Amino acid sequence: MTDPTVEDLLERVREGDVRLHELDDHVDAGTAATVRRRLVADESGADLDVVGEYAFDAAAADPNIDNMIGGVQVPLGVAGPVAVDGGAFDGDRYLPMATTEGALVASVNRGCSVIDAAGGATARVTKSGMTRAPVFRVADVAEAEALVEWVRDNEDRLREAAESTTSHGELLGVTPYVVGNNVYLRFRFDTKDAMGMNMVTIATGEACDVVEAETDAELVALSGNLCSDKKPAAVNAVEGRGRSVTADVEIPREVVEERLHTTPVAIAEINTRKNHVGSAKAGSLGFNAHVANAVAAMFLATGQDAAQVVEGSNAITTAEATADGDLYVSVSIASLEVGTVGGGTKLPTQAAGLDVLGVRGGGDPAGSNADALAEAIAVGALAGELSLLAALGSRHLASAHADLGR
Ligand SMILES: CC(C)(COP(=O)([O-])OP(=O)([O-])OC[C@H]1O[C@@H](n2cnc3c(N)ncnc32)[C@H](O)[C@@H]1OP(=O)([O-])[O-])[C@@H](O)C(=O)NCCC(=O)NCCSC(=O)C[C@@](C)(O)CC(=O)[O-]
Ligand SMILES: NC(=O)C1=CN([C@@H]2O[C@H](COP(=O)(O)OP(=O)(O)OC[C@H]3O[C@@H](n4cnc5c(N)ncnc54)[C@H](OP(=O)(O)O)[C@@H]3O)[C@@H](O)[C@H]2O)C=CC1
């Protein structure tokens, strides 16, 4: 029997005989995408030819996209190279950044060149652990207390159940929270080189089965929002989620004056009045200028989950003029959720981004590549903070974007 043609399938979808998402059952993934693209183009009047010019294998992208019609391209640039002394990321590297914001890569590039002139940045992952927090219904607070005690006494059983679903993930701990007749169990896992959301969701589900079998608690939702994934949340800023990572640098005063056209004292003052006082008044969780910019651009370039830029912007920038008149700057990102295996990291253009950093795939030891990626992103964020604070000091923000961004 011959394969159905695009025209045949278009007709069958229009007649309601085949659903849009069932096309892959009838033809290969690329042809299925073509049929959907044709249908959407016909019905919306949009010209989608360019959307069909994608460079990856549609079948290989199956774990990443449903109802695929093509691909979106984002321009890719590089900042650097920049010297980094990291716990896992070492040497002089280019930082890949995908963005549509003109002047952004230029800004991070300037920051990198200043960091380099100062001898490089230092970066360390200080805490690591991906979380999932199911919510259970209990009868009352007495039953809640009983559940909390049971969890404390039976963590090994929960660990055994959770770890039966993964050869890499390790349960680090379970923290209970009680609110009336709701009990939230915040499971925290070492997910090695994976960002880990699929891994910990599957593992936590297995542990929840044990809780339900052994206690009176009833699972209401596998994610009870105390995790907290893809929402701004203080719990992530305080407790961390994914990688907590810090990068810092001390820059000689002459370098600040020559290359950034301002002074250490001016940068420190802007940082305090803008990033700390201004953010406090705004009720912000991000005490920084634009950490989200480096996080988003490097997430897109390396196949991370873009929605987790929300947590990636949970960052505090500090800046101080030292006793010698130089400038100390740091960026601490509390909850940077990154992986070098799984998710979007296998797609060819994103894998190439990881290759530029030298962190593709599983690390040796496991987890070291994801640590290195976190440190690279923190250095990119540090470079961006430096350059933007300086541009505000020299009053170049508007002119830079007028020149480079429109
Ligand atoms: C634009 C600059 C860098 C000019 O800065 P400059 O010092 O006038 O430029 P320069 O021509 O003297 O070049 C200095 C260095 O900048 C880099 N550089 C310079 N041009 C390029 C380019 N085309 N492509 C790549 N790199 C470039 C490059 O490293 C170069 O060194 P060189 O390699 O020549 O020795 C500076 O004015 C700047 O950084 N401005 C700040 C822009 C910025 O940070 N924008 C971020 C986005 S703003 C935003 O999204 C968030 C916001 C602002 O709303 C958040 C908030 O509320 O704060
Ligand atoms: N399920 C959910 O609720 C959510 C899912 N997501 C999505 O989840 C995906 C990311 O989940 P994630 O679990 O990271 O990825 P994957 O689901 O792609 O799984 C990655 C798997 O790779 C295996 N692996 C191989 N080598 C290593 C290594 N060195 N370190 C760690 N694991 C390794 C592990 O298998 P094994 O476990 O067998 O050892 C691991 O589970 C993204 O696509 C994201 O968009 C995002 C948010 C929520």
Side-chain angles (χ1 to χ4, degrees):
M1 206 168 72
T2 54
D3 281 346
T5 64
V6 168
E7 299 303 331
D8 291 339
L9 286 168
L10 271 171
E11 202 47 43
R12 289 182 65 186
V13 173
R14 285 195 181 108
E15 283 169 0
D17 182 31
V18 175
R19 291 184 207 210
L20 218 49
H21 66 83
E22 292 170 343
L23 282 163
D24 304 71
D25 299 340
H26 300 272
V27 277
D28 65 88
T31 310
T34 303
V35 176
R36 285 188 206 101
R37 194 168 58 251
R38 279 276 307 277
L39 197 96
V40 174
D42 290 351
E43 292 189 11
S44 65
D47 179 353
L48 295 179
D49 287 353
V50 71
V51 171
E53 290 169 18
Y54 53 92
F56 53 89
D57 174 15
D62 181 60
N64 301 103
I65 186 75
D66 320 295
N67 259 352
M68 175 172 155
I69 66 167
V72 167
Q73 297 181 36
V74 181
L76 179 66
V78 286
V82 60
V84 181
D85 164 16
F89 186 70
D90 243 341
D92 283 84
R93 303 276 186 178
Y94 283 103
L95 307 180
M97 303 182 70
T99 183
T100 54
E101 183 178 13
L104 174 59
V105 178
S107 177
V108 175
N109 199 28
R110 178 170 74 157
C112 287
S113 77
V114 170
I115 289 171
D116 244 24
T122 307
R124 292 288 187 279
V125 169
T126 54
K127 189 174 179 185
S128 184
M130 180 49 84
T131 56
R132 181 52 100 198
V135 53
F136 292 86
R137 186 192 313 110
V138 291
D140 52 25
V141 69
E143 206 172 276
E145 184 199 34
L147 175 58
V148 170
E149 255 173 48
W150 184 90
V151 169
R152 288 211 178 106
D153 293 344
N154 289 278
E155 202 169 291
D156 283 346
R157 290 181 68 188
L158 295 177
R159 177 171 296 106
E160 195 186 330
E163 293 182 3
S164 71
T165 65
T166 167
S167 56
H168 287 84
E170 289 171 17
L171 181 63
L172 297 172
V174 186
T175 308
Y177 296 81
V178 175
V179 184
N181 59 0
N182 306 286
V183 178
Y184 302 81
L185 300 179
R186 195 170 192 256
F187 287 75
R188 199 164 75 85
F189 291 84
D190 179 352
T191 58
K192 309 296 178 189
D193 290 303
M195 178 276 279
M197 271 324 291
N198 280 339
M199 181 199 285
V200 310
T201 302
I202 295 164
T204 303
E206 199 71 16
C208 287
D209 289 347
V210 177
V211 174
E212 279 197 307
E214 300 288 324
T215 74
D216 293 329
E218 199 170 323
L219 180 69
V220 177
L222 184 50
S223 167
N225 270 17
L226 237 161
C227 316
S228 179
D229 196 40
K230 301 182 177 176
K231 272 87 61 180
V235 69
N236 295 332
V238 178
E239 295 294 331
R241 188 168 198 260
R243 262 78 179 172
S244 302
V245 58
T246 294
D248 69 1
V249 65
E250 189 164 322
I251 303 163
R253 183 169 43 82
E254 315 80 70
V255 175
V256 175
E257 288 172 356
E258 277 162 29
R259 298 197 59 91
L260 294 175
H261 323 300
T262 182
T263 63
V265 168
I267 288 187
E269 181 182 2
I270 293 164
N271 190 63
T272 302
R273 292 184 188 273
K274 168 189 170 64
N275 287 345
H276 296 178
V277 181
S279 297
K281 178 68 180 164
S284 179
L285 285 177
F287 286 68
N288 64 78
H290 68 142
V291 165
N293 262 334
V295 171
M298 292 183 73
F299 267 31
L300 287 180
T302 60
Q304 310 305 309
D305 187 327
Q308 291 177 326
V309 174
V310 173
E311 289 91 291
S313 68
N314 251 337
I316 300 178
T317 299
T318 71
E320 47 194 271
T322 67
D324 297 335
D326 298 331
L327 175 68
Y328 171 84
V329 189
S330 76
V331 169
S332 297
I333 307 177
S335 44
L336 192 65
E337 294 142 345
V338 289
T340 58
V341 301
T345 64
K346 276 181 292 189
L347 292 169
T349 55
Q350 288 83 339
L354 291 168
D355 279 339
V356 170
L357 292 166
V359 301
R360 169 143 64 124
D364 183 15
S368 56
N369 270 358
D371 282 350
L373 176 59
E375 290 171 355
I377 293 173
V379 171
L382 178 69
E385 291 294 277
L386 252 178
S387 191
L388 175 51
L389 289 171
L392 291 164
S394 61
R395 308 203 174 181
H396 282 157
L397 178 63
S399 59
H401 282 260
D403 289 348
L404 290 173
R406 58 194 310 201

